[in-house]
Amino acid sequence: MTAVLATSAPVRRASLLARWRATPFHLVCAGIVAAFLVAFLVVPVGSVVFIAFWDGQSFTLVHFADFFRTSIMIESTWNSIYVAVMTVAFATLLAVPLAYITVRFRFRGAALIQTLGVIPLVMPPFVGAVAMQLVYGRNGSINLLLMDWFGFRLPFMEGLNGVIFVEGLHYFPFILLNLSASLANIDSAMEESAQNLGASGWRLFSRIVFPLAMPGYIAGAALVFAKVFDDLATPLLLNVTNMLAPQAYLRVTSVGLADPMGYVISTILVVLSVVAVWLSMLSLRNRDFATQQRGGGGLAKRDLGRAESVAAYGFVAFALLLALSPHIGILLLSFGTIWSFSVLPDAFTLAHYSTIFRDAGGFMANTVLYCGIAALIDVVLGTMIAYIAMRTGLPGRNILDQVAMAAVAVPGLVLGIGILRTYFSVELPFGGGSLATFWLMLAIAYSVRRLPYALRSCTAALQQLHHSLEEAAENLGASKASTLTRIVVPLMAGGILAGFVTSFATAAVELSATLLLVTRDATAPLSYGIYVYMQSPAGRGPGAALGVVAVVVVAVATWLSYRVAEQDRAKRTRNGMAI
Amino acid sequence: MTGVSIDRVSFDYGGAPILDAVSLDVAKGEFFAFLGPSGSGKTTLLRLVAGFGIPTAGTIRVGDRDVTSVPPWKRNVGMVFQSYALWPHMTVAGNVAFGLEQRGMARADIAAKVRAGLDLVGLSHLADRRPAQLSGGQQQRVALARTLVIEPEVLLLDEPLSNLDAKLRVEMRQEIAALQRKLGLTTIYVTHDQEEANAVADRIAVLDGGKIQQIGAPIDLYDRPANRFVAAFLGTANMIEGSLAAGGRFAAEGFALDGVSGAAGPACLSFRPQDVSLAAGGGAGRILHREFLGGTIRYAVALGPHRIVVDTVHHREAPVFAPGSQVGVTVDPGRVVVLR
């Protein structure tokens, strides 16, 4: 029997690194990440905002006063707000019935609607814009038919209507996906307990289902709002310049980098975008309360009545056709010879494809190179940030994570202007020109914009990795660096690969920053090529063909990343016992 | 072979004290167990020995070497994790080879060692499988082999059986104990299960609230608990608060016992259910409740304001008492423990 009576030993002052659960290796990683974020995100965006409030000597609001005295700016602001609000409304009209039909009813087309949810996203809106004009424009297929049959036209594509129509069709999946997820997460017990307490019908919907699904809707709608505000290429291609993003672009490219108005607009865009994204994240965070109890499996599904069936299938078919019309249009355009004042092209040809494979190979090669580099930067930084934030106690680790995630709220246009402003006067050695327009800068701009996606993917992968798997390696003699390369990274491979593919695919169709940073066709990527081709009537065919190529690339990549993520999940479930 | 010496080790996490001046010595080749309820600090203490965390005060020695601030990968202290922590992207052989590769061993030597390690746990036929394809018991053996092949100076086992079903648990603990004896490896075993600790350990340290309550051989701990916590945590104990007079008479409200040895003063009398006998025909005790357990019958008996548990050996001729009946209660003064 040895009850131990001990006087306490002298208290040890642990070294800083030990207290932070970090090694020099972690410090180096954190340093690299911080330097990258400061150089290519914080400083460029900060300088844009700074110049908007700077008159050369001191803080000023004079640029903002100018802004609100210029009639075109006031008009552009109202137009942007109008377009964003109307796009959200249009997207809501499409998305809400689709979401409700899939979740509430036993509906055979559910898989179809899910596909519908991603199809529009694989084609950037500016690619579809020109084709949409040919289908819905004043002399487009639909209006020609309407004219023939009923003797009137509908102004689908006139002015702002066109922007609203194109963007609404492109972005409604954001609302559909978020709202469906939110509805599917509602525990059936919540609905049942309301029924048990006597609620039914409209009361049940308005008091229980609707409030529980609201956060998902808000999240989706806020994203749509922000995206529409930021989109530069669609209005430009539709010849709409009296909106904020095109105004900023025109100011910077025509009046020049010194013009403060571009920075004022950029600042407004950043603020609106940050507010919208923040709103979206906030509502998603609150969604947790709908998912407290697991295993509910969503609302109880009902069978459709005969009339309901007709209405539901009719609506889905209509929505599907609408959502696919840009794709159909672009496909027709890419195979058509001449398509003007007619319902369909006059004849079909493969000439446009041979043109682009002859002339546009450079665009494709550039896209593969830039997006490959961007995606690589993203997964390397994403892995480092996730690792530092989740596995060490380094001070400021969460700031790294938050700054990287904040890139999601920075419009491409603003980042492009910021990079131009910051690095335009920096000359490359050996007469290489400005650093801002050096091709690598484009890859870096892409990587900054897509970092949040890759980071989220890497964070999710690391979250699923049980801490003891790393401790076991250290226990058997592996250092932190060796544990990272031999255990952590291989086990995160699925998530990292998914992040890579997502970054690559979305960067391939990025146009806002591209338009600002590309100076020569020789260094231009695919998205820029499509934009340039689409400018001239003769270039539309090849432009559409390039668009089809881009869509195929994005579609294949999206499918791949989905497959990788699925396989990874399956593997983990099988390993559930081991981990 | 090396022992482990823990000297006045304290640890806190975010300001909350987890361990408070813990000292103990594990002898060379000893099978030592840390036993305590969850939150007692036993796993934290084991992790400090492995290097996962640095004590805020005190030192840890493995053999003659002060390892207190040595990082885990330089300690040569093998740990088997509660979750096994087998790497799902490597085969069984790959898992076992990992530690040897980190030590820069030649490939041929590694192959031989891996084979020997898997032979030791009887799994050489599964070398090419992935961990996910193995049963829980097999995974446990791979985790053991992976740790044993690096020939650690000390083996640490963190609740190694908690993920197995009851039958396998008994089998595995016998296997682990046999393996430990065969290799003569200094071993520390963390568990919250007293039966497990009693079955395998040479000595046990009972922890509660970050402090060591008692260290001793399993039978000593059971027979001579040092305090109320140890008495109650190891098996069932009856405890009656009262005072001990100089003549050896223990008195409490509604209960008295002569012939108790110990210093006079306030005391707690502790005794096991089997140290009490019941007699028919009336007495101070009243049967409250009866549970027939086969070989024994367990009674809850009211004794004045006290409620005690009594086990009687059961056979066909033994008396059985009905709930509500009054019984005579006799406690053997030679078997009681006086706690302060």
Side-chain angles (χ1 to χ4, degrees):
Chain A
M1 200 162 92
T2 42
V4 179
L5 276 174
T7 52
S8 50
V11 171
R12 182 186 327 278
R13 300 288 304 161
S15 73
L16 268 185
L17 277 180
R19 238 181 296 158
W20 293 336
R21 288 175 286 130
T23 62
F25 171 72
H26 293 139
L27 282 184
V28 172
C29 290
I32 292 172
V33 171
F36 181 88
L37 289 177
V38 167
F40 301 113
L41 178 62
V42 176
V43 169
V45 175
S47 74
V48 166
V49 176
F50 175 75
I51 288 159
F53 289 104
W54 188 250
D55 69 357
Q57 272 98 42
S58 60
F59 172 84
T60 180
L61 286 173
V62 87
H63 304 319
F64 280 84
D66 283 349
F67 176 88
F68 287 109
R69 272 200 300 269
T70 315
S71 61
I72 177 75
M73 292 300 159
I74 306 281
E75 186 194 335
S76 300
T77 308
W78 283 119
N79 283 345
S80 277
I81 293 174
Y82 170 77
V83 167
V85 168
M86 291 307 285
T87 304
V88 169
F90 176 49
T92 302
L93 284 181
L94 273 180
V96 171
L98 288 175
Y100 195 67
I101 289 170
T102 36
V103 175
R104 179 45 109 184
F105 301 107
R106 219 166 275 128
F107 182 69
R108 220 173 278 151
L112 198 69
I113 295 181
Q114 290 206 327
T115 323
L116 193 66
V118 280
I119 286 175
L121 291 179
V122 301
M123 185 158 86
F126 69 88
V127 174
V130 170
M132 291 279 283
Q133 235 161 0
L134 292 169
V135 180
Y136 296 101
R138 196 174 153 70
N139 295 312
S141 320
I142 301 293
N143 271 326
L144 288 176
L145 291 177
L146 283 177
M147 205 61 199
D148 271 6
W149 297 342
F150 307 106
F152 68 92
R153 301 172 203 264
L154 288 174
F156 297 110
M157 299 295 292
E158 307 295 311
L160 299 179
N161 286 358
V163 184
I164 295 169
F165 195 32
V166 171
E167 309 251 25
L169 276 192
H170 180 69
Y171 287 120
F172 85 89
F174 281 128
I175 298 183
L176 174 61
L177 295 174
N178 277 302
L179 182 59
S180 304
S182 188
L183 281 169
N185 273 334
I186 297 177
D187 192 330
S188 59
M190 299 227 180
E191 191 190 15
E192 283 160 8
S193 56
Q195 285 170 332
N196 178 254
L197 295 172
S200 66
W202 170 246
R203 200 177 159 73
L204 175 69
F205 181 81
S206 65
R207 295 288 302 277
I208 305 295
V209 177
F210 185 71
L212 286 175
M214 200 58 193
Y217 172 74
I218 301 268
L223 273 184
V224 173
F225 189 88
K227 291 273 182 192
V228 172
F229 237 93
D230 296 348
D231 192 7
L232 169 63
T234 308
L236 280 185
L237 267 171
L238 293 175
N239 271 324
V240 174
T241 54
N242 51 351
M243 288 174 65
L244 282 181
Q247 279 299 320
Y249 171 71
L250 293 176
R251 280 287 179 156
V252 167
T253 50
S254 60
V255 182
L257 270 175
D259 175 43
M261 207 55 86
Y263 300 96
V264 172
I265 301 174
S266 294
T267 303
I268 294 173
L269 288 178
V270 169
V271 170
L272 280 168
S273 178
V274 166
V275 168
V277 169
W278 177 74
L279 196 69
S280 164
M281 283 179 165
L282 205 66
S283 47
L284 279 181
R285 190 171 313 153
N286 291 346
R287 196 172 63 176
D288 286 354
F289 74 119
T291 58
Q292 274 167 1
Q293 302 105 330
R294 293 305 316 165
L299 300 172
K301 293 201 173 181
R302 279 203 286 122
D303 280 319
L304 285 163
R306 179 177 289 269
E308 286 173 323
S309 262
V310 172
Y313 282 100
F315 183 79
V316 169
F318 167 72
L320 185 65
L321 207 62
L322 212 52
L324 279 177
S325 56
H327 303 72
I328 297 169
I330 206 79
L331 205 60
L332 286 175
L333 190 55
S334 75
F335 286 110
T337 50
I338 295 173
W339 188 8
S340 182
F341 288 96
S342 58
V343 174
L344 289 174
D346 298 348
F348 293 95
T349 170
L350 283 173
H352 301 319
Y353 284 92
S354 59
T355 307
I356 62 161
F357 283 112
R358 196 178 59 238
D359 299 342
F363 292 142
M364 295 183 215
N366 285 340
T367 285
V368 170
L369 177 67
Y370 302 166
C371 300
I373 292 174
L376 194 65
I377 294 176
D378 280 345
V379 295
V380 170
L381 292 182
T383 307
M384 284 182 180
I385 297 171
Y387 192 77
I388 290 166
M390 294 168 68
R391 292 292 197 256
T392 74
L394 279 181
R397 62 191 186 283
N398 288 327
I399 297 178
L400 280 188
D401 185 65
Q402 282 155 7
V403 170
M405 286 310 286
V408 88
V410 174
L413 174 70
V414 176
L415 186 68
I417 292 177
I419 285 178
L420 270 184
R421 174 78 205 183
T422 313
Y423 296 106
F424 195 72
S425 53
V426 182
E427 283 290 320
L428 286 170
F430 315 115
S434 164
L435 179 59
T437 53
F438 181 48
W439 65 266
L440 193 57
M441 199 48 104
L442 205 51
I444 289 175
Y446 290 164
S447 71
V448 171
R449 292 261 289 151
R450 307 305 163 187
L451 183 55
Y453 303 100
L455 175 56
R456 210 171 303 165
S457 192
C458 293
T459 305
L462 189 57
Q463 253 160 4
Q464 290 170 343
L465 200 73
H466 198 291
H467 212 139
S468 65
L469 293 174
E470 289 152 66
E471 289 182 346
E474 289 174 21
N475 179 255
L476 294 177
S479 68
K480 290 274 180 199
S482 178
T483 305
L484 187 68
T485 52
R486 286 208 56 193
I487 306 295
V488 178
V489 170
L491 285 174
M492 282 172 70
I496 291 175
L497 190 57
F500 182 93
V501 176
T502 312
S503 282
F504 183 93
T506 51
V509 292
E510 149 86 51
L511 187 56
S512 302
T514 312
L515 281 179
L516 281 154
L517 296 177
V518 167
T519 48
R520 290 178 297 133
D521 278 1
T523 57
L526 190 57
S527 53
Y528 187 85
I530 298 171
Y531 179 76
V532 171
Y533 273 116
M534 288 296 194
Q535 299 283 343
S536 67
R540 281 178 179 178
L546 265 186
V548 172
V549 170
V551 169
V552 170
V553 167
V554 176
V556 168
T558 307
W559 177 78
L560 261 181
S561 94
Y562 176 78
R563 276 298 302 264
V564 167
E566 280 293 296
Q567 274 176 357
D568 209 46
R569 199 168 316 138
K571 198 171 81 190
R572 287 196 189 284
T573 331
R574 258 193 293 119
N575 289 337
M577 208 166 45
I579 297 177
Chain B
M1 215 46 60
T2 330
V4 175
S5 143
I6 295 170
D7 182 26
R8 292 171 294 171
V9 161
S10 297
F11 187 75
D12 27 273
Y13 190 79
I18 308 286
L19 291 170
D20 181 12
V22 170
S23 295
L24 60 87
D25 290 296
V26 180
K28 269 185 205 181
E30 187 173 27
F31 199 134
F32 198 92
F34 294 166
L35 175 65
S38 56
S40 60
K42 57 189 190 300
T43 294
T44 306
L45 186 57
L46 189 81
R47 288 170 57 81
L48 290 182
V49 175
F52 299 116
I54 297 176
T56 42
T59 51
I60 298 173
R61 291 173 173 281
V62 172
D64 297 329
R65 191 160 72 116
D66 180 349
V67 297
T68 317
S69 341
V70 174
W73 51 93
K74 291 183 184 159
R75 288 209 178 187
N76 204 27
V77 164
M79 176 154 169
V80 174
F81 290 79
Q82 179 170 14
S83 59
Y84 314 143
L86 298 180
W87 302 301
H89 62 305
M90 297 181 190
T91 60
V92 166
N95 267 277
V96 177
F98 184 89
L100 302 170
E101 288 162 10
Q102 291 300 324
R103 282 162 175 69
M105 195 176 274
R107 192 170 299 178
D109 297 343
I110 291 180
K113 285 237 175 199
V114 168
R115 210 172 309 120
L118 286 175
D119 272 343
L120 194 63
V121 295
L123 286 184
S124 21
H125 60 293
L126 298 178
D128 297 324
R129 295 272 184 92
R130 299 259 168 184
Q133 297 166 297
L134 306 182
S135 71
Q138 289 168 333
Q139 291 182 13
Q140 167 77 82
R141 289 187 177 85
V142 175
L144 255 179
R146 183 175 73 176
T147 308
L148 291 176
V149 289
I150 65 165
E151 294 172 8
E153 292 171 69
V154 179
L155 176 64
L156 308 178
L157 301 159
D158 182 13
E159 303 252 6
L161 307 179
S162 60
N163 288 335
L164 303 177
D165 63 46
K167 184 169 169 283
L168 203 54
R169 216 175 297 164
V170 174
E171 263 174 52
M172 272 312 289
R173 83 178 182 215
Q174 287 165 356
E175 214 168 297
I176 288 174
L179 204 57
Q180 190 269 342
R181 251 131 235 167
K182 182 168 141 197
L183 301 172
L185 190 55
T186 310
T187 301
I188 304 178
Y189 186 110
V190 163
T191 179
H192 65 272
D193 182 338
Q194 46 148 328
E195 184 189 312
E196 221 169 272
N198 286 338
V200 295
D202 298 322
R203 281 196 305 154
I204 297 173
V206 181
L207 282 103
D208 185 49
K211 289 194 169 106
I212 292 199
Q213 303 296 321
Q214 191 174 2
I215 298 175
I219 293 177
D220 285 343
L221 294 181
Y222 186 83
D223 288 346
R224 292 180 185 80
N227 57 34
R228 292 168 179 78
F229 176 81
V230 177
F233 192 70
L234 289 162
T236 308
N238 294 304
M239 279 182 260
I240 295 177
E241 303 285 346
S243 64
L244 188 58
R249 180 178 176 85
F250 177 86
E253 193 189 346
F255 178 82
L257 184 64
D258 285 310
V260 178
S261 53
C268 171
L269 199 68
S270 168
F271 49 93
R272 300 293 177 188
Q274 64 273 28
D275 298 333
V276 190
S277 51
L278 302 178
R286 189 165 55 86
I287 304 283
L288 296 172
H289 180 73
R290 182 180 73 195
E291 269 177 4
F292 174 60
L293 301 173
T296 55
I297 299 178
R298 172 159 288 196
Y299 294 99
V301 180
L303 196 61
H306 312 289
R307 186 189 156 107
I308 61 172
V309 177
V310 180
D311 285 349
T312 60
V313 176
H314 177 69
H315 49 87
R316 234 177 306 172
E317 281 79 33
V320 175
F321 306 102
S325 57
Q326 296 290 129
V327 291
V329 176
T330 315
V331 178
D332 182 342
R335 296 191 192 165
V336 301
V337 175
V338 177
L339 303 173
R340 299 291 172 177

